[in-house]
């Protein structure tokens, strides 16, 4: 190696020793919450998971990337003034696009700006990277509500996250849709492990039953590891909380659904992130913005 | 995915419907008896899974993991009896000759389906096959998988007993060796192994972890003077970490370096890679460390074929190996070869590396998780 090369190795900030240079990345977690079918409880789970992780001392940024139906703000009783679109096209400062939620959770609402994320011009890409880079100092956990389905938007975010949690309801259609989503994640986004959260069931046995069915199909037809990460009981407090716009883990911390969220949080954190997937916060954005292949 | 519910008077009929509609690949999701003496099967299949099902799974294809309730089992037994009678009758009939070939084939198919639901085609097979399949899918060599399952099924009464037994022996075999940065006394560790497996990168990761997380005084020795740029790699990392380093081109220089770094808690030696199948590479290592208190840690790549790994380990072991480091687990789709690397030896895995980033991408293995990874 000659001098110029070596100099390059030492000044370059994006080589394999980057973590070493910044003296150890904290353990960033980037978790995308998705589902095949709409209305299975993603937003409720994402929002309450964010709060639960924050109570546990993590610094959480929640990105509501559900296009048509962004509603994590409503669930937390927030009315964001700006969203991602303002950041990208109207030069609004990132800090003004973040809303402060309970427990120190910050919310970045996707608004309708996310629709164009897959087609960003390089100016917007740089603007986004510039704006988001300093956020890595502030947060160690990134939760994304991707919205439902197998659209490019879902693939876009799930493909860049370390962990993907697929929320599945007890209805047969939810099972079929969950399978389709997992299939896309496995075949198109290269995801090798998917975590599953069964929502809105009466008993653990019922949750296991749903999971077992899903697992028997995925293990027969797909090469992806599917793990049961948690289950949330059907709970009247969820609806009550939606009505009052106070997240249920805040309003009813001892409610069965809240306990389900706590178990889910523990179970996600206990697993190391899927190996080989983007590690840090910046990495997340870089992977995201580089993932041209999900653009159609 | 195509999911459908089938109702029929008999299980046989329902199974035929499943096959006709969803194909032989279909997975049974649930079976139950409806009050009216009819049965219901929910089944699913994916006509375009894209990823092909490994051929090996044919063994298990006929054993669905779906639990079959006792009532269903009973009703199927009755059906089986009926079919037997039918066959007997057919045999005795003079008209057998006139029966078309298709009729016989259909009968055989039906019998096979019935058997598949009940898992009765050889009680042992039915228990073992799915587990063997899982292991093989997880990258375990077929013969090793069979051995594991055979051993575990010796004291097992049910399939889940067997699975439990297999898990136990996997967890046992995959239990970790002490981390290289964990030694309480001074130690000198050389990373050895084939070319390009990640020895130098791993060395940097260990050095960083030991320095920052474990408060060790670490020094590096670059003994790879063969690879162009080999020593510069070590130098770069040493400078980044702010720790001392030296080049040692041969045994005497290495002895000198060890003397110079006498007060370091951990001295890490980067060696050059060689083909494990050539004696010269092994001889180089022996000469380099002869008479010196150097512990060797063998680096092997996770996505190496299981049979190759175990032979490789065998080769290197003759010169003494303290523990294993399995590298590039992020590039491996299956973890079964890890099992091959330790099976039948007293070696354990000290570290897994999970990517190119220094120092994040190194971990201490967790036997349960590895077992899970192997079993899928
Ligand atoms: N994906 C992945 N790549 C790795 C890992 N560890 C090392 N590498 C890469 O593997 C390549 C070889 O790594 P080295 O550390 O130079 O390997 P080596 O064993 O020292 O090679 P020689 O000294 O040439 O025998 C480099 O491109 C590393 O970045 C890992 O855990 N995962
Ligand atoms: N565990 C539960 N117990 C009771 N009701 C629940 C539960 N989970 C969700 N719900 C109900 O389902 C409704 C939909 O939930 P939510 O908005 O979180 O779903 P979603 O998956 O985000 O929907 P969309 O796909 O439209 O974004 C909630 O308003 C709530 O009333
Ligand atoms: Mg929603
Ligand atoms: Mg090297």
């Amino acid at each position: 190696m000659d001098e110029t090369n070596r100099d390059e190795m030492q000044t370059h900030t994006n080589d394999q020793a980057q973590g070493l240079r910044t003296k150890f990345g904290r353990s960033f977690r980037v978790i995308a919450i998705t589902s095949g079918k709409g209305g299975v409880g993603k937003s409720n789970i994402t929002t309450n998971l964010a709060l639960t992780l924050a109570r546990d001392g993590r610094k959480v940024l929640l990105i509501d990337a559900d296009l048509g139906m962004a509603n994590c703000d409503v669930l937390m009783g927030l009315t964001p003034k700006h969203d991602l679109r303002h950041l990208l096209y109207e030069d609004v400062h990132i800090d003004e696009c973040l809303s402060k939620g309970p427990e120190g959770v910050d919310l970045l609402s996707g608004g309708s700006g996310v629709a164009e994320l897959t087609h960003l011009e390089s100016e917007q890409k740089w603007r986004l990277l510039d704006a988001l880079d300093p956020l890595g100092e502030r947060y160690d956990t990134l939760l994304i509500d991707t919205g439902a389905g197998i659209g490019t938007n879902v693939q876009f975010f799930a493909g860049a996250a370390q962990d993907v949690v697929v929320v599945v309801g007890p209805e047969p259609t939810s099972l079929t849709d969950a399978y389709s989503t997992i299939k896309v994640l496995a075949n198109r986004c290269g995801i090798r492990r998917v975590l599953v959260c069964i929502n809105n069931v009466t008993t653990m046995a019922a949750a296991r039953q749903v999971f077992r069915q899903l697992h028997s199909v995925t293990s027969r037809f797909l090469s992806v590891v599917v793990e049961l990460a948690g289950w949330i009981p059907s709970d009247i407090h969820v609806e009550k909380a939606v009505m009052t716009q106070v997240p249920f883990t805040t309003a009813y911390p001892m409610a069965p659904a809240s306990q389900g969220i706590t178990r889910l949080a523990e179970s996600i954190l206990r697993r190391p992130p899927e190996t080989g997937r983007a590690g840090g916060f910046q990495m997340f954005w870089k992977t995201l913005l580089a993932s041209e292949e999900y653009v159609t | 995915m195509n999911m459908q519910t089938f109702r029929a008077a008999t299980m046989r009929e329902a199974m035929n419907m499943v096959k006709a509609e969803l194909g032989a690949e279909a997975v049974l999701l649930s079976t139950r008896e409806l009050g009216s003496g009819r049965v219901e099967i929910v089944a699913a299949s994916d006509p375009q899974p894209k990823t092909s099902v490994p051929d090996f799974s044919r063994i298990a294809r006929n054993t669905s993991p779906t639990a079959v309730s006792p009532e269903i089992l009973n009703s199927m037994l009755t059906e089986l009896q009926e079919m037997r009678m039918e066959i007997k009758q057919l045999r005795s009939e003079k008209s057998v000759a006139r029966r078309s070939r298709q009729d016989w084939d259909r009968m055989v198919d039906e019998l096979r389906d019935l058997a598949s639901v009940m898992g009765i085609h050889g009680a042992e097979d039915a228990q073992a096959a799915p587990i063997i399949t899982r292991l093989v899918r997880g990258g375990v060599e077929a013969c090793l998988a069979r051995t594991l399952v055979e051993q575990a099924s010796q004291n097992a009464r049910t399939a889940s007993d067997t699975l439990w037994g297999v898990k136990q022996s996997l967890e046992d075999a995959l239990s970790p060796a002490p981390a290289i940065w964990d030694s309480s006394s001074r130690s000198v560790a050389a990373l050895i192994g084939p070319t390009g497996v990640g020895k130098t990168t791993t060395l940097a990761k260990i050095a960083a972890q030991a320095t920052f997380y474990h408060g060790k005084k670490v020094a590096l020795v670059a003994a790879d003077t063969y690879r162009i740029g080999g020593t510069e790699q070590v130098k770069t990392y040493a400078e980044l970490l702010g720790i001392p380093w030296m080049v040692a081109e041969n045994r005497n220089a290495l002895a000198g370096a060890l003397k110079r770094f006498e007060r370091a808690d951990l001295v890490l030696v980067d060696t050059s890679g060689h083909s494990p199948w050539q004696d010269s590479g092994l001889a180089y290592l022996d000469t380099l460390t002869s008479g010196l208190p150097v512990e060797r840690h063998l680096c092997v790549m996770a996505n190496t074929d299981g049979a190759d790994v175990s032979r490789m380990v065998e080769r290197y072991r003759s010169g003494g190996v303290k523990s294993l480091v399995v590298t590039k687990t992020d590039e491996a789709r299956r973890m079964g070869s890890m099992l091959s690397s330790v099976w039948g030896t007293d070696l354990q895995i000290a570290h897994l590396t999970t990517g190119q980033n220094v120092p994040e991408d190194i971990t201490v293995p967790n036997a349960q998780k590895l077992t899970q990874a192997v079993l899928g």
Side-chain angles (χ1 to χ4, degrees):
Chain A
M1 194 182 287
D2 62 22
E3 279 305 318
T4 36
N5 258 344
R6 200 176 318 140
D7 277 345
E8 201 174 304
M9 203 167 167
Q10 276 156 12
T11 50
H12 206 261
T13 49
N14 194 18
D15 62 21
Q16 69 186 138
Q18 188 185 7
L20 190 57
R21 292 203 170 76
T22 53
K23 279 269 172 60
F24 291 95
R26 277 163 290 166
S27 83
F28 283 108
R29 298 298 294 246
V30 182
I31 304 161
I33 287 89
T34 189
S35 73
K37 191 173 165 326
V40 293
K42 277 181 310 301
S43 301
N44 271 282
I45 289 175
T46 314
T47 307
N48 285 285
L49 189 60
L51 296 178
T52 301
L53 290 172
R55 275 182 217 110
D56 202 36
R58 298 189 72 95
K59 301 195 182 57
V60 185
L61 174 62
L62 197 172
I63 300 183
D64 191 348
D66 191 350
L67 276 186
M69 311 279 285
N71 60 357
C72 293
D73 51 345
V74 182
L75 293 176
M76 289 198 285
L78 299 175
T79 40
K81 276 204 230 35
H82 300 289
D83 56 37
L84 202 46
R85 194 188 24 179
H86 297 99
L87 176 73
L88 291 176
Y89 299 101
E90 290 168 31
D91 226 359
V92 177
H93 192 267
I94 175 75
D95 285 342
E96 290 183 51
C97 300
L98 299 176
S99 323
K100 301 234 164 294
E103 312 283 352
V105 170
D106 284 352
L107 173 73
L108 176 58
S109 195
S112 49
V114 184
E116 292 110 53
L117 259 188
T118 43
H119 304 287
L120 284 187
E121 300 296 327
S122 76
E123 190 206 326
Q124 267 80 34
K125 281 194 184 177
W126 284 112
R127 202 180 274 182
L128 189 57
L129 273 183
D130 268 0
L132 295 167
D133 247 22
L135 296 188
E137 305 279 306
R138 281 193 242 162
Y139 306 103
D140 56 18
T141 309
L142 189 50
L143 281 188
I144 306 144
D145 180 348
T146 68
I150 50 176
T152 49
N153 204 49
V154 172
Q155 290 178 43
F156 187 58
F157 281 99
Q162 292 170 310
D163 287 301
V164 184
V165 179
V166 177
V167 180
V168 185
E171 320 79 23
T173 46
S174 175
L175 190 73
T176 321
D177 293 344
Y179 176 84
S180 309
T181 295
I182 294 174
K183 181 171 165 183
V184 167
L185 294 176
N187 289 353
R188 291 228 230 123
C189 308
I191 286 174
R192 288 175 298 173
R193 184 185 74 185
V194 166
L195 304 180
V196 167
C197 177
I198 311 287
N199 186 30
N200 230 333
V201 282
T202 45
T203 60
M204 177 153 101
R208 284 195 173 285
Q209 162 89 357
V210 175
F211 177 74
R212 220 188 49 211
Q213 298 192 339
L214 180 61
H215 187 263
S216 64
V217 199
T218 55
S219 61
R220 166 77 53 101
F221 297 110
L222 306 175
S223 42
V224 57
V225 177
V226 175
E227 293 177 11
L228 181 61
W231 67 284
I232 317 287
S234 186
D235 186 344
I236 183 76
H237 295 100
V238 176
E239 205 141 333
K240 279 192 190 166
V242 172
M243 302 307 283
T244 54
Q245 293 194 19
V246 181
F248 60 82
T249 49
T250 306
Y252 314 102
M254 294 318 287
S258 303
Q259 294 177 21
I261 296 284
T262 307
R263 288 191 306 262
L264 176 67
E266 280 167 3
S267 152
I268 294 176
L269 289 186
R270 208 174 43 230
R271 298 158 213 264
E274 192 192 329
T275 48
R277 301 198 66 83
F281 194 88
Q282 275 96 343
M283 268 312 292
F284 169 76
W285 292 107
K286 289 185 180 137
T287 317
L288 190 61
L289 294 168
S291 54
E292 227 97 79
E293 51 179 308
Y294 304 131
V295 178
T296 47
Chain B
M1 173 172 116
N2 192 350
M3 182 161 103
Q4 287 182 38
T5 306
F6 301 89
R7 298 202 179 90
T10 64
M11 189 52 75
R12 193 197 328 170
E13 238 176 86
M15 282 296 293
N16 277 338
M17 290 160 77
V18 170
K19 257 177 63 177
E21 288 293 317
L22 298 176
E25 288 284 314
V27 182
L28 303 192
L29 295 181
S30 69
T31 54
R32 73 187 171 117
E33 190 128 338
L34 303 169
S36 51
R38 290 166 69 79
V39 293
E40 180 190 275
I41 295 182
V42 181
S45 80
D46 186 346
Q48 296 161 307
K50 181 172 172 198
T51 35
S52 62
V53 183
D55 218 12
F56 201 84
S57 68
R58 282 173 57 83
I59 297 181
R61 187 165 297 159
N62 292 331
T63 56
S64 163
T66 316
V68 177
S69 67
E71 303 90 68
I72 295 279
L73 211 60
N74 273 333
S75 83
M76 286 193 304
L77 274 174
T78 328
E79 271 183 55
L80 202 62
Q81 296 287 1
E82 283 168 13
M83 284 182 70
R84 264 203 199 137
M85 298 299 292
E86 223 176 304
I87 293 176
K88 256 193 194 152
Q89 206 187 331
L90 280 171
R91 279 224 180 102
S92 62
E93 268 178 28
K94 293 272 157 49
S95 59
V96 164
R98 272 188 285 126
R99 291 240 158 206
S100 71
R101 179 72 204 263
Q102 275 115 330
D103 276 354
W104 280 104
D105 285 351
R106 180 184 54 83
M107 192 74 92
V108 169
D109 273 358
E110 282 176 0
L111 266 171
R112 197 180 293 130
D113 285 345
L114 214 51
S116 82
V117 182
M118 301 169 75
I120 54 166
H121 57 157
E124 258 180 45
D125 238 357
Q127 278 189 25
I131 307 177
I132 295 180
T133 310
R134 272 173 79 177
L135 287 166
V136 170
R137 277 193 184 174
V140 177
E141 294 161 78
C143 56
L144 178 50
R146 233 169 271 131
T147 313
L148 276 166
V149 174
E150 260 162 36
Q151 278 179 8
S153 61
Q154 255 153 33
N155 307 316
R157 272 175 300 115
T158 64
S160 68
D161 283 354
T162 308
L163 185 59
W164 187 83
V166 170
K167 274 191 183 144
Q168 291 306 304
S169 34
L170 289 191
E171 280 179 20
D172 193 46
L174 294 169
S175 65
I180 295 177
W181 53 67
D182 251 4
S183 166
S184 56
S185 56
R186 168 190 154 82
S187 61
V188 180
L191 293 185
I192 64 170
T195 55
V197 291
K199 296 178 293 297
T200 311
T201 311
T202 306
L203 177 115
K205 292 173 185 170
I206 294 172
Q209 298 269 352
T211 307
F212 291 128
Y213 285 151
H214 304 274
K216 297 270 153 100
K217 278 187 279 174
V218 184
L220 303 183
V221 178
D224 183 4
T225 49
Y226 177 77
R227 168 86 55 257
I228 304 292
T231 59
E232 275 84 352
Q233 248 180 310
V234 174
K235 173 176 191 257
T236 308
Y237 282 120
E239 284 171 355
L240 275 167
L241 286 162
I243 60 176
W245 76 288
M246 264 181 90
V247 176
E249 64 281 11
N250 55 32
R251 191 248 167 222
N252 286 346
L254 180 57
L258 296 190
K259 190 140 188 72
R260 167 131 168 246
F261 295 139
E262 219 163 28
R263 308 232 315 276
D265 303 319
L266 177 63
V267 181
L268 293 167
V269 184
D270 184 41
T271 66
S272 58
H274 293 277
S275 160
W277 317 123
Q278 280 164 11
D279 292 335
S280 59
L282 302 181
Y284 148 81
L285 286 172
D286 286 340
T287 319
L288 180 68
T289 60
S290 75
L292 298 174
V294 179
E295 287 168 347
R296 301 170 180 199
H297 302 268
L298 175 61
C299 300
V300 292
M301 227 153 52
N303 58 359
T304 317
D305 169 75
D308 280 352
V309 163
S310 70
R311 255 176 274 133
M312 212 180 277
V313 171
E314 236 9 83
R315 295 270 299 167
Y316 280 104
R317 238 156 65 91
S318 58
V321 169
K322 180 90 191 287
S323 69
L324 294 174
V325 175
V326 179
T327 62
K328 306 194 188 179
T329 55
D330 55 309
E331 291 185 1
R333 279 182 53 244
R334 305 181 304 171
M335 296 301 154
S337 66
M338 243 184 252
L339 189 64
S340 303
S341 68
V342 292
W343 189 256
T345 73
D346 53 358
L347 283 174
Q348 290 171 311
I349 301 168
H351 297 286
L352 307 178
T353 74
T354 56
Q356 301 200 50
N357 298 315
V358 180
E360 310 79 319
D361 293 339
I362 184 166
T363 64
V364 175
N366 171 324
Q368 277 102 35
K369 298 233 174 77
L370 281 186
T371 301
Q372 220 175 19
V374 170
L375 277 170

